[in-house]
Amino acid sequence: MVAIVKHTIKDYMKLPEGSKYQLLNGNIVEMPSPTEIHQAIIFHLSYLLAGFLIKNPIGIARFAPLDVILDEENVLQPDLLFIANENKHIIKERIEGAPDFVVDVLSPTTAYYDWEEKMEIYAKFGVKEYWIINPHKQYIELYDLKEGKFEKREKLVYTGLVKSKVIKEFEFELKEIFKIC
């Protein structure tokens, strides 16, 4: 019989700073460097969100790599996150608690984790809104937390007005983030 070793935050914190790992349900998972298209999308979306938050200081946004510590067996690094002003108490050297809003851009090697494990973990800990962007098929799926699970609100392909429910009045035309790719 093979014993399954569950890791904890204690094990995770022993990894070198800047390592490309996440702790998902007690498993240390290597996350390869993002692709250029992945970075272009996150850069542009971060730019749009930062511009909005400068005009509307309702919270803060951060992008990976930044640890989000949810419990002893879950430390994730979402591509982009937002924390409302009323929840800023979770911002410390790392984020210690669930952000209000999270975005992940799919990569071929990490798509399973974003769709399956990370989505379930974010829901379990109370992330209110989750967006998944597929850069190769040029679509975005928007999910809202309802009764402890994510429910798909909308899927837009290449074009359409993307609106956040958590970040009130934050919206943009989807093709804006894809046309730079």
Side-chain angles (χ1 to χ4, degrees), residues 62-106:
R62 298 290 185 262
F63 52 87
L66 176 62
D67 290 335
V68 173
I69 301 168
L70 298 170
D71 71 1
E72 285 296 309
E73 293 185 348
N74 291 288
V75 181
L76 286 68
Q77 293 185 5
D79 290 320
L80 182 65
L81 62 86
F82 167 80
I83 299 168
N85 285 337
E86 58 267 20
N87 297 320
K88 280 188 173 180
H89 63 277
I90 69 171
I91 302 169
K92 303 197 167 85
E93 187 173 306
R94 293 170 170 81
I95 307 301
E96 296 182 14
D100 295 286
F101 166 88
V102 168
V103 178
D104 277 319
V105 176
L106 296 178

Side-chain angles (χ1 to χ4, degrees), residues 136-150:
H136 301 287
K137 294 186 179 178
Q138 297 190 323
Y139 69 78
I140 185 170
E141 291 189 352
L142 290 71
Y143 294 86
D144 299 316
L145 188 65
K146 299 214 174 155
E147 298 177 15
K149 294 188 181 202
F150 282 117

Side-chain angles (χ1 to χ4, degrees), residues 5-54:
V5 176
K6 285 286 191 177
H7 296 279
T8 67
I9 192 169
K10 194 173 182 180
D11 302 313
Y12 178 83
M13 291 303 174
K14 291 177 185 175
L15 296 168
E17 186 174 333
S19 295
K20 295 175 181 76
Y21 293 95
Q22 295 184 60
L23 182 62
L24 305 175
N25 294 317
N27 298 302
I28 294 177
V29 178
E30 184 175 9
M31 299 292 179
S33 294
T35 61
E36 190 282 331
I37 191 171
H38 178 284
Q39 291 300 80
I41 288 170
I42 287 301
F43 176 81
H44 196 69
L45 186 53
S46 297
Y47 172 80
L48 293 173
L49 184 54
F52 175 83
L53 292 174
I54 288 168

Side-chain angles (χ1 to χ4, degrees), residues 106 115 132-134 137-141 155-157 178:
L106 296 178
W115 281 113
I132 295 179
I133 300 172
N134 186 319
K137 294 186 179 178
Q138 297 190 323
Y139 69 78
I140 185 170
E141 291 189 352
K155 178 179 181 177
L156 299 169
V157 180
F178 289 130

